């Protein structure tokens, strides 16, 4: 009896896990299909944004520009597109720049204490510049904090669940 119960529990767990992975694969496939910009894969992250699952997919286009796409993991729809620039001196980044990187780090760390592991300079869909900071706390949890470079407001916070790929040049 115990063996049969254990076998049924293991089989049910396997079926549940397999269907969860299948659903995740389908969502990732939908996200990738929704990206309208061809390019080379750089990184894929699974994020938790206010209790909702998202994928952040990063690619590099044929001109060398890096793009980040936020995709709702439930429905496979792109919710946000950002272009990454390499420095704060990029014209599109500095045109409305009023908050320095140091100030943005202080703002992010005050709200989410830890160690800054990575900083990205991003141009939002509306043209606003923002700093995206990856902060790791003392428990090893990575939080992404996006700070508006014009007014210093935190515009998005997410917790990383996992990551595939890495950008060594942006690590601190």
């Amino acid at each position: 009896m115990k063996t049969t119960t254990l076998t049924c529990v293991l089989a049910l767990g396997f079926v549940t896990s397999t269907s969860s992975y299948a659903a995740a694969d389908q969502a990732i496939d939908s996200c990738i299909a929704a990206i309208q910009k061809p390019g080379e894969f750089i990184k894929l992250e699974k994020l938790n944004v206010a209790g909702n699952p998202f994928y952040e997919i990063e690619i590099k286009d044929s001109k060398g520009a890096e793009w980040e796409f936020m995709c709702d993991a439930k429905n496979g729809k792109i919710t946000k597109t950002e272009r990454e620039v390499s420095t704060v001196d990029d014209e599109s980044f500095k045109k409305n720049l009023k908050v320095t990187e140091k100030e943005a780090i202080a703002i992010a760390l005050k709200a989410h204490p830890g160690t800054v592991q990575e900083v990205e300079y991003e141009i939002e869909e509306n043209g606003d510049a923002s700093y995206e900071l990856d902060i790791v706390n003392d428990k090893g949890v990575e939080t992404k904090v996006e700070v508006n470079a014009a007014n210093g407001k935190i515009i998005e916070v997410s917790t990383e669940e996992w990551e595939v790929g890495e950008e060594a040049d942006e690590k601190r």
Side-chain angles (χ1 to χ4, degrees):
M1 184 64 117
K2 287 184 181 179
T3 305
T4 305
T5 304
L6 181 59
T7 303
C8 289
V9 169
L10 288 174
L12 181 59
F14 178 75
V15 168
T16 303
S17 296
T18 303
S19 63
S20 294
Y21 286 122
D25 287 346
Q26 188 176 23
I28 290 172
D29 288 345
S30 296
C31 290
I32 291 169
I35 295 172
Q36 298 297 308
K37 189 169 279 302
E40 172 189 343
F41 169 80
I42 296 174
K43 184 168 47 173
L44 168 65
E45 295 174 286
K46 172 85 180 286
L47 304 174
N48 180 317
V49 181
N52 296 304
F54 281 84
Y55 295 112
E56 183 178 86
I57 303 166
E58 192 165 334
I59 65 164
K60 183 183 287 189
D61 70 17
S62 61
K63 295 179 181 173
E66 292 185 18
W67 296 85
E68 287 184 2
F69 301 89
M70 287 291 283
C71 184
D72 187 318
K74 292 179 185 174
N75 62 25
K77 294 188 183 198
I78 302 297
T79 59
K80 183 168 143 181
T81 302
E82 300 169 328
R83 183 173 55 88
E84 201 174 307
V85 296
S86 57
T87 71
V88 294
D89 292 326
D90 184 283
E91 283 302 317
S92 58
F93 192 86
K94 71 179 187 178
K95 70 180 179 183
N96 296 318
L97 181 66
K98 292 185 175 99
V99 176
T100 67
E101 181 175 330
K102 186 176 179 179
E103 291 168 330
I105 289 171
I107 290 164
L109 289 175
K110 183 176 180 184
H112 300 276
T115 303
V116 175
Q117 297 289 311
E118 184 177 352
V119 177
E120 293 178 351
Y121 313 106
E122 299 180 337
I123 307 303
E124 306 293 321
E125 289 174 291
N126 66 3
D128 286 352
S130 67
Y131 298 96
E132 183 179 274
L133 304 130
D134 290 358
I135 300 170
V136 177
N137 70 15
D138 58 355
K139 293 182 173 85
V141 176
E142 182 174 308
T143 301
K144 288 184 171 294
V145 180
E146 202 163 327
V147 178
N148 184 296
N151 61 26
K153 291 184 179 176
I154 294 175
I155 54 178
E156 186 176 278
V157 176
S158 60
T159 304
E160 182 179 291
E161 294 182 12
W162 52 259
E163 175 181 317
V164 176
E166 183 177 17
E167 296 174 281
D169 61 330
E170 292 172 352
K171 295 288 181 186
R172 295 200 166 251

